[in-house]
Amino acid sequence: MQVETLQNQQATWGGLSDSIEEFSDWQRRAGREFASEEAELLAYLTDQLQAEGAPLVGVRFNHPVLGLLSHMSEKGNRMQELMHAYLAIAVTQDCEPAQRLIAGQRLQPGLHPNYVAETQCYGAIQPE
């Protein structure tokens, strides 16, 4: 009997991050009601960004913003995609990237096919 792994953040990011809390688990833990979907997603993304960024507390960058952006692009880490999803909501009220991230889909274009197959993050945007 073959066991099918459901696509989720743990399947996509488990090998790269130990700070993953699935959205449904976070909702149960938070136990709060929010004024809108956007507010709830922003609260979740903020918590996840804090967890992912914990190892960077006290790290000194040459420039606070550019250094952080450089770190995120060099590491190709989950923090970069959390920030993408957060800014999409904060700037354009677009919840789609956050919903895709929560579903375990990568937002980064042009991922290596072996990574996509191994992690089952099939929603990765492909370059046109």
Side-chain angles (χ1 to χ4, degrees):
M1 181 172 120
Q2 184 179 9
V3 176
E4 183 179 329
T5 303
L6 295 177
Q7 183 177 357
N8 60 35
Q9 291 183 75
Q10 192 61 46
T12 299
W13 288 104
L16 302 173
S17 173
D18 59 0
S19 302
I20 299 166
E21 182 176 18
E22 295 291 347
F23 185 62
S24 57
D25 296 336
W26 176 85
Q27 285 176 312
R28 281 190 291 280
R29 182 177 63 78
R32 302 186 324 219
E33 291 202 22
F34 294 87
S36 66
E37 176 186 22
E38 290 87 358
E40 181 176 34
L41 290 172
L42 285 172
Y44 171 71
L45 293 169
T46 298
D47 280 1
Q48 288 296 282
L49 280 164
Q50 286 179 330
E52 286 292 333
L56 297 176
V57 171
V59 172
R60 296 182 59 98
F61 293 112
N62 289 337
H63 185 276
V65 175
L66 298 176
L68 179 59
L69 291 173
S70 178
H71 167 78
M72 288 189 299
S73 66
E74 286 174 13
K75 298 296 181 183
N77 60 23
R78 183 168 178 256
M79 185 186 300
Q80 186 175 17
E81 294 200 348
L82 288 163
M83 186 64 74
H84 174 139
Y86 182 93
L87 289 173
I89 296 170
V91 174
T92 65
Q93 291 74 49
D94 180 7
C95 293
E96 191 255 344
Q99 293 163 340
R100 290 183 62 229
L101 182 138
I102 288 167
Q105 298 174 7
R106 290 292 309 265
L107 306 178
Q108 175 71 36
L111 295 170
H112 192 281
N114 292 344
Y115 176 86
V116 174
E118 184 177 321
T119 62
Q120 300 181 29
C121 61
Y122 298 108
I125 301 169
Q126 297 303 316
E128 294 180 20

